[in-house]
Structures are given as C-alpha cells and as structure tokens.
Amino acid sequence: MSAARRIDSPNFDDRPAGEAISLVVVHAISLPPAQFGSDDIARLFTNSLDPDAHPYFSRISGLRVSAHFLIRRDGALIQFVSCLQRAWHAGVSFWNGRERCNDFSIGIELEGCDELPFEVAQYLRLVDLIQSLSVCYPINSVVGHSDIAPGRKTDPGQCFDWQRLAPLGALLGRAR
C-alpha cells in the first residue's frame, strides 16, 4: 500500500496455498489502554515492547501479534505485514462457516478503545483503505473483531460508528 508508512513485523507467516482474501477485520488497540499517540503499538507488533515501561505491558510483552495495517488517530496509515501474508490478528475466530480467519482476512487496527469515539480522519482513511483493498482482492465482508470472536473480543467496541462505513455498501457483512 503506497500510502502507508512501512514498519515490518516479524509476526506473520504464509497464507494457505490458494487462499483468497475475502474478509476485512476491524480492530481497536491503544497502548497503554485508552491512551493514544505513543509508538507502543508498533513496539508490540515488532516484539520490542518494554515490559517495564507500563504496568500493563508486563502482561502483554510476550505476545506475538500483528495486523496488516494500523490507522492512527490523525488518519496516518502504517503497514506491518504484506497483504499477501497472514498477519496474526484474529486469534481463535469464526466467520461465515469458516474457522481461522487469519487465513483469509486482512486485519486493520484503529488506534482507539471501546470507551472513546474514533476520529473522523480514521473513518475516512478506513473507507479509502477498504475500497483500495477491494480493487485488489475479492473482499465480500467487513466485520469487527467482536463479530469473529464473540464472547472473547469486544473491539472495535460500542463507540465505533458502523454507519460511517456506509460507502462500502454490501461489504458490511456483519453478524448483527
């Protein structure tokens, strides 16, 4: 994605042979929780998060996770994993009769949390990114992490305004 700043994450592997990318999963992340603007998300995705930098970090610094993209509060776009590779964003997941959503999805993290509204710049960038991805891949659904891992995940949360994704039309194949 040429509009994205690139920071390579080691937390990816190959998709199964012949697997088509058909799903976009929208996530929310903030590190420390409900705080914005640091480089701690990038540190988490590159396995360089200092467990002593914040009490919460000692619980998560050993995680090996990533996403394809992160959209910062100001709309800045960062890419961590090639779309052709499988990023480790969804965990145990299920969508439309299929398990292992990482195999066939692109993960997009928004810098945010369940309790605070997202920024207009993030919605604009998200719609633009998904539209661009849809030109390259047969995307047929855009869902939240909570839709593919109900009971385990809550993001992007109740403050995420799905109506702002209306320009995506039929792609909004959510479980609601």
Side-chain angles (χ1 to χ4, degrees):
M1 184 63 57
S2 62
R5 180 175 152 223
R6 187 68 191 245
I7 300 174
D8 292 327
S9 171
N11 303 327
F12 71 92
D13 57 6
D14 291 330
R15 292 183 189 275
E19 186 68 70
I21 299 166
S22 59
L23 180 68
V24 169
V25 180
V26 179
H27 301 263
I29 186 170
S30 58
L31 293 176
Q35 295 181 30
F36 311 123
S38 76
D39 290 326
D40 293 323
I41 298 168
R43 288 185 186 104
L44 176 67
F45 289 171
T46 58
N47 304 334
S48 59
L49 188 65
D50 179 357
D52 299 321
H54 186 276
Y56 180 74
F57 295 174
S58 64
R59 298 189 329 213
I60 65 166
S61 65
L63 293 177
R64 298 298 175 248
V65 295
S66 61
H68 294 92
F69 298 96
L70 168 67
I71 300 175
R72 304 297 304 247
R73 302 293 286 181
D74 64 359
L77 182 64
I78 302 171
Q79 184 171 8
F80 291 94
V81 175
S82 165
C83 294
L84 300 175
Q85 301 292 320
R86 177 173 50 194
W88 303 342
H89 62 94
V92 176
S93 53
F94 181 88
W95 178 252
N96 213 18
R98 299 182 66 194
E99 296 180 344
R100 299 177 48 97
C101 293
N102 284 341
D103 290 352
F104 56 95
S105 68
I106 291 177
I108 302 173
E109 295 275 2
L110 299 177
E111 185 178 28
C113 62
D114 288 7
E115 301 82 25
L116 297 170
F118 293 87
E119 300 293 334
V120 171
Q122 291 179 288
Y123 289 110
L124 294 173
R125 176 66 77 178
L126 181 61
V127 168
D128 183 60
L129 177 58
I130 294 171
Q131 287 174 331
S132 295
L133 292 169
S134 296
V135 169
C136 299
Y137 305 104
I139 305 295
N140 60 37
S141 295
V142 176
V143 299
H145 198 187
S146 58
D147 295 315
I148 64 168
R152 187 174 70 82
K153 293 295 181 178
T154 60
D155 60 308
Q158 61 194 15
C159 291
F160 185 79
D161 184 358
W162 286 97
Q163 294 301 324
R164 294 207 181 237
L165 301 189
L168 300 175
L171 292 179
L172 296 178
R174 301 189 59 239
R176 297 192 210 293

